[in-house]
DNA sequence: GGAGAAGATGGTAGCGCTACCAAATTGACG
DNA sequence: CGTCAATTTGGTAGCGCTACCATCTTCTCC
């Protein structure tokens, strides 16, 4: 003689409460909520009324258990505070907020091992889709992605060999464009300053190097890098190092805008004329770059749009019409500003 | 004659697979995983071996359904890209990454209605705890929080009447401290520039006003605000407006560091001497403020620590020993820098 | 008008896990 | 040595939902 377990859920209405109130079967309520077109107009209305009256909200856990699919997008980024990824996440979030899908965020801290751990963890939830930053997954991570059994979108980069789909742009081309711009502007001893040399930064550096070599200007002493996390203050310090190493430096292509800003401030402090004595180019084009004095040339990237696009592609794939274009290159724009206008 | 539903989960091992392999009951496996101290040393080892061999990962959905409690922290912030909240989220994330709890992030976009909607949605998951930014919830939101049946931590502010627990600091005191510092430094026509006037900014403004009135310096024309989202470029524009309105302006307390940076850049551009002609104080003390030229005085707030503390309090409450101090004031620090050193 | 297709609805049996109780084992103690 | 409590283990019955049929109505078409 087992009495029912007195509503563990704390008395929240369930699908059967709704069904009883609407005078239909539970399964019909379920359908009315998920595939309204398969339920008659009339029942749909009755059910909706019952839902509203009871304040019914489906339990996503029960749903996930029964359907073996959680309404969750797993999102893996290397940093939560880096504005660049925050913008991507915002794009993902905004595109998903009108859908039933939730976001499961993972911060890899730029670590391949942590990425593996998180993918393993996310897999246990059977997410509806996975969005991961970058294309340099470890072999184990790649295997996990391939066997996830859901759409996978790699974002922020493009490359020849997507796990599934890809939205991003070429960091190598971005680095090259930035460097070529400096060369065209007449700078010659152009340094590269890069912090936190993740794969994307490596490719920007490769682009820099390609441009410099093509112009016969490359000199390894011009390159200053560190694995330390990027920050404005680090930019300042690295610029001082770079200048100490190569006093004839007349331009810098920075890994990102934080570094560029640090360089700019140090120039002010040391009374180095920008763009006359030193030209500066950043990467990502944060809002403040066009406001800075002098305004700073940068490579505008479309982070928010990348997030939106990734979601759109994943949703299409979930709906069964996988986009034929599996690799989307959203490109970048060189924003010419005062910092290189000499 | 119903054949079993051929493993919807795609062949992932379940708790009974582990139980069979370890030669114990399923419930013992469950216990060994959740309350190891209640299972004998020997069985624990056997079970662990079976788990490792099969690569078993518990299904969080089934777990949540059976226990009527999801291992999820609901986190509500008004913005994902504002570095301030990103830091709080990072603190929360880092403190939770070693625990079984996941994070369910919600972006309210500074909207009370959206907050209500998200709380409603989060409630359907029966989260283990809720962390929400601010103390100005709508009555409906407050009711939802009170009836959530889990620990609730309001963060970023302090106030007299927590729903449950609270970690933050006084924005009013921060605003007052910033303004008093400007007054002590000899500035008199001190403006307030504030974008996105959310409740926290309102309180900073109230602190500014209190300090100005106490010194007999308050003048409503000194206050420039807008509901528009804050940005560096907006800071620049607002400063120009403020200066046009009050040409004798000799100092500004900015809503936040983005605005302060915009003011600083505009001063450079317009050749206004900082700190000689204009003194500038920001709020939050982002890394770049100490690197800027001149470095910018700001109110250092402890965002990361707030996130960590909120999680610590929630975890303690979940474990049954609710902290006796329900309101934690982490305070702030006035960082005096060149922008007010005249 | 009847056969068959198409559409609408419902019943049953789980999804993988844990709450609740029961049972078995051990130890303590008068 | 028997009683009682504490400790360890397991069985049963769901949690709230949906997949998979089965059933019942229409509707179509020859």
């Amino acid at each position: 003689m087992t009495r029912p377990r007195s509503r563990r859920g704390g008395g929240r209405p369930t699908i059967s409460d709704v069904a009883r109130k609407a005078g239909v079967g539970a399964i019909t309520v379920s359908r009315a909520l998920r595939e309204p077109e398969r339920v008659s107009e009339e029942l749909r209305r009755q059910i909706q009324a019952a839902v509203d009256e009871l304040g019914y909200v489906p339990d996503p856990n029960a749903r996930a258990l029964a359907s073996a699919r959680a309404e969750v997008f797993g999102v893996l980024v290397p940093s939560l505070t880096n504005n660049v990824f925050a913008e991507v996440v915002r794009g993902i979030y905004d595109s998903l907020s009108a859908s039933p899908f939730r976001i499961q965020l993972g911060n890899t801290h730029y670590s391949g091992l942590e990425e593996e751990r998180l993918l393993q963890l996310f897999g246990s939830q059977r997410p509806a889709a996975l969005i991961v930053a970058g294309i340099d997954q470890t072999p184990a991570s790649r295997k996990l992605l391939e066997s996830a059994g859901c759409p996978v979108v790699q974002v922020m980069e493009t490359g020849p060999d997507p796990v599934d789909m890809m939205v991003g742009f070429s960091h190598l081309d971005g680095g090259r464009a930035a460097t070529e711009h400096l060369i065209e502007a007449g700078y010659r001893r152009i340094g590269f300053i890069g912090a936190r040399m993740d794969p994307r930064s490596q490719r920007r550096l490769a682009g820099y190097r390609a441009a410099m070599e093509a112009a016969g200007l490359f000199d390894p002493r011009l390159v200053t890098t560190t694995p330390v996390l990027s920050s404005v203050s680090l930019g300042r310090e690295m610029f001082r190092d770079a200048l100490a190493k190569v006093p004839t430096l007349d331009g810098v292509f920075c890994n990102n805008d934080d570094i560029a800003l640090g360089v700019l401030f140090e120039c002010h402090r040391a009374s180095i004329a920008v763009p006359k004595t030193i030209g500066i180019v950043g990467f990502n084009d944060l809002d403040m770059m066009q406001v800075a004095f002098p305004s700073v040339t940068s490579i505008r990237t479309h982070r928010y749009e990348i997030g939106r696009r990734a979601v759109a592609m994943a949703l299409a794939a979930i709906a069964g019409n996988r986009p034929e274009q599996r690799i989307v290159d959203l490109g970048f724009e060189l924003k010419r500003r005062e910092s290189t206008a000499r």
Side-chain angles (χ1 to χ4, degrees), chain A residues 83-95 131 153-156 166-169 300-313 328-333:
Chain A
N83 181 277
V84 170
F85 296 106
E87 286 280 356
V88 176
V89 171
R90 188 169 65 90
I92 294 170
Y93 186 95
D94 287 354
S95 296
I131 300 178
V153 189
Q154 292 163 292
V155 295
M156 291 308 283
M166 217 174 238
V167 192
F169 61 95
R300 160 74 58 91
T301 57
H302 311 291
R303 287 96 63 191
Y304 184 76
E305 188 55 27
I306 286 175
R308 295 198 64 103
R309 199 61 173 271
V311 169
M313 290 171 80
V328 175
D329 186 343
L330 253 31
F332 56 83
E333 273 172 86

Side-chain angles (χ1 to χ4, degrees), chain A residues 106-238:
Chain A
N107 181 357
T108 67
H109 291 101
Y110 295 97
S111 149
L113 239 63
E114 180 64 4
E115 186 168 54
E116 277 174 33
R117 194 185 72 84
L118 288 167
L119 281 174
Q120 177 84 33
L121 204 64
F122 283 18
S124 70
Q125 291 193 66
R126 282 172 245 129
L130 287 171
I131 300 178
V132 301
I135 59 178
D136 298 275
Q137 283 77 28
T138 64
S141 289
R142 203 176 159 100
K143 196 162 291 173
L144 283 166
L145 287 173
E146 279 161 357
S147 61
C150 67
V152 173
V153 189
Q154 292 163 292
V155 295
M156 291 308 283
E157 292 192 66
T158 53
D161 189 24
V163 171
D164 182 4
M165 295 175 283
M166 217 174 238
V167 192
F169 61 95
S170 164
H171 291 255
L172 190 138
D173 289 349
R176 179 168 22 217
T179 310
E180 284 173 350
H181 168 68
L182 279 164
I183 296 171
E184 276 163 30
Y187 297 100
R188 285 297 168 266
R189 296 290 282 168
I190 303 165
F192 175 93
I193 298 186
R196 188 206 357 93
M197 292 301 292
D198 65 16
R200 285 165 291 286
S201 297
Q202 301 281 7
R203 281 188 262 277
R204 291 175 207 161
L205 171 54
Y208 157 86
R209 180 164 181 163
M212 290 294 277
E213 283 178 344
L217 295 172
F218 183 70
D219 174 350
R221 286 160 30 88
L222 290 167
V223 176
T224 310
T225 65
T226 163
V228 174
L229 272 182
S230 175
S231 70
V232 180
S233 46
L234 186 62
R236 178 183 174 197
E237 285 162 33
M238 291 184 74

Side-chain angles (χ1 to χ4, degrees), chain A residues 4-301:
Chain A
R5 212 184 305 175
S6 79
R7 272 300 160 67
R8 285 187 198 155
R12 289 174 51 258
T14 73
I15 203 167
S16 349
D17 296 330
V18 177
R20 207 170 312 119
K21 169 145 274 177
V24 300
I27 191 68
T28 306
V29 176
S30 174
R31 257 195 296 262
L33 263 31
R34 289 176 303 131
E35 320 167 82
E37 71 284 358
R38 299 188 19 130
V39 173
S40 70
E41 176 78 28
E42 197 195 331
L43 281 196
R44 221 186 307 165
R45 243 200 313 269
Q46 285 176 41
I47 290 170
Q48 189 54 52
V51 165
D52 291 343
E53 190 173 343
L54 294 173
Y56 170 74
V57 183
D59 182 329
N61 299 119
R63 191 171 260 190
L65 183 58
S67 65
R69 237 336 132 213
E71 286 175 325
V72 166
F73 270 48
V75 177
L76 281 185
V77 293
S79 159
L80 294 177
T81 40
N82 183 330
N83 181 277
V84 170
F85 296 106
E87 286 280 356
V88 176
V89 171
R90 188 169 65 90
I92 294 170
Y93 186 95
D94 287 354
S95 296
L96 243 28
S97 62
S99 81
F101 296 101
R102 294 162 288 155
I103 293 178
Q104 176 71 41
L105 209 55
N107 181 357
T108 67
H109 291 101
Y110 295 97
S111 149
L113 239 63
E114 180 64 4
E115 186 168 54
E116 277 174 33
R117 194 185 72 84
L118 288 167
L119 281 174
Q120 177 84 33
L121 204 64
F122 283 18
S124 70
Q125 291 193 66
R126 282 172 245 129
L130 287 171
I131 300 178
V132 301
I135 59 178
D136 298 275
Q137 283 77 28
T138 64
S141 289
R142 203 176 159 100
K143 196 162 291 173
L144 283 166
L145 287 173
E146 279 161 357
S147 61
C150 67
V152 173
V153 189
Q154 292 163 292
V155 295
M156 291 308 283
E157 292 192 66
T158 53
D161 189 24
V163 171
D164 182 4
M165 295 175 283
M166 217 174 238
V167 192
F169 61 95
S170 164
H171 291 255
L172 190 138
D173 289 349
R176 179 168 22 217
T179 310
E180 284 173 350
H181 168 68
L182 279 164
I183 296 171
E184 276 163 30
Y187 297 100
R188 285 297 168 266
R189 296 290 282 168
I190 303 165
F192 175 93
I193 298 186
R196 188 206 357 93
M197 292 301 292
D198 65 16
R200 285 165 291 286
S201 297
Q202 301 281 7
R203 281 188 262 277
R204 291 175 207 161
L205 171 54
Y208 157 86
R209 180 164 181 163
M212 290 294 277
E213 283 178 344
L217 295 172
F218 183 70
D219 174 350
R221 286 160 30 88
L222 290 167
V223 176
T224 310
T225 65
T226 163
V228 174
L229 272 182
S230 175
S231 70
V232 180
S233 46
L234 186 62
R236 178 183 174 197
E237 285 162 33
M238 291 184 74
F239 177 60
R240 281 151 79 169
D241 291 352
L243 211 52
K245 209 164 47 173
V246 183
T248 57
L249 206 66
D250 68 353
V252 279
F253 166 45
C254 304
N255 188 29
N256 63 40
D257 286 345
D258 284 348
I259 299 292
L261 212 56
V263 172
L264 178 65
F265 284 134
E266 177 58 18
C267 286
H268 277 159
R269 200 167 285 275
S271 299
I272 298 169
V274 176
K276 193 162 182 298
T277 310
I278 291 265
I280 305 175
V281 178
F283 203 98
N284 281 322
D285 197 29
L286 303 183
D287 160 67
M288 67 181 81
M289 302 319 270
Q290 64 173 308
V291 185
F293 179 75
S295 60
V296 180
T297 299
S298 192
I299 300 286
R300 160 74 58 91
T301 57

